[in-house]
Amino acid sequence: MQKLGTWFMCAVVFAILPPIAQLVQESSLKDHQTPGFFEFCARADLYIVCMGLAASAIAQAHMRAKSVPLFWTLWNVAVLLFATFLAAGADDENIDPAVLGRNSFILLITTLLSAGFTTYLSERGPSNAL
């Protein structure tokens, strides 16, 4: 369980620190208007975070193939492909930031669950895998 906590700190928290730091820096501006949660998510490039998490989960599952069922590897590949597809159109000027933020937040939660479970299974070992 400690390795899962380390994964969360290093992979997830460090990945979302730059947009949080940008929000804190912008809050000191005179005419700053705090964005809504989903607008903040839209600016946070969460699709890129999802792509990185999914890719690392695929690599980890590949290195420990006996610990991780094939389903989770394929699921992470699907998440990676979907995030890549969505990221390609995320900077279009006609995109609604609130919808982009909501969709990227939902994909982030999905990616966290699948990549986190893959990490857990990888570290748990082949004798206890599901």
Side-chain angles (χ1 to χ4, degrees):
M1 202 58 147
Q2 180 183 7
K3 290 182 181 183
L4 194 59
T6 303
W7 167 81
F8 187 80
M9 270 306 283
C10 293
V12 179
V13 173
F14 292 149
I16 61 173
L17 274 179
I20 292 172
Q22 181 183 16
L23 183 67
V24 170
Q25 288 176 344
E26 289 177 356
S27 68
S28 65
L29 300 174
K30 286 184 181 181
D31 57 350
H32 173 70
Q33 295 180 4
T34 305
F37 178 73
F38 289 129
E39 289 179 7
F40 169 72
C41 289
R43 292 177 19 193
D45 292 328
L46 295 181
Y47 289 141
I48 304 302
V49 173
C50 292
M51 291 165 57
L53 290 172
S56 66
I58 294 165
Q60 192 167 30
H62 179 69
M63 289 186 292
R64 307 241 179 140
K66 293 183 174 145
S67 301
V68 181
L70 181 61
F71 169 79
W72 287 109
T73 303
L74 295 176
W75 180 259
N76 286 311
V77 168
V79 168
L80 176 62
L81 293 174
F82 192 59
T84 303
F85 174 76
L86 292 175
D91 59 351
D92 190 331
E93 62 188 37
N94 295 323
I95 295 287
D96 181 356
V99 174
L100 173 64
R102 183 192 70 223
N103 292 346
S104 63
F105 181 72
I106 290 169
L107 188 61
L108 177 66
I109 297 301
T110 303
T111 306
L112 287 176
L113 292 173
S114 66
F117 196 66
T118 300
T119 300
Y120 174 75
L121 290 175
S122 294
E123 296 304 323
R124 190 174 179 188
S127 62
N128 299 326
L130 298 176

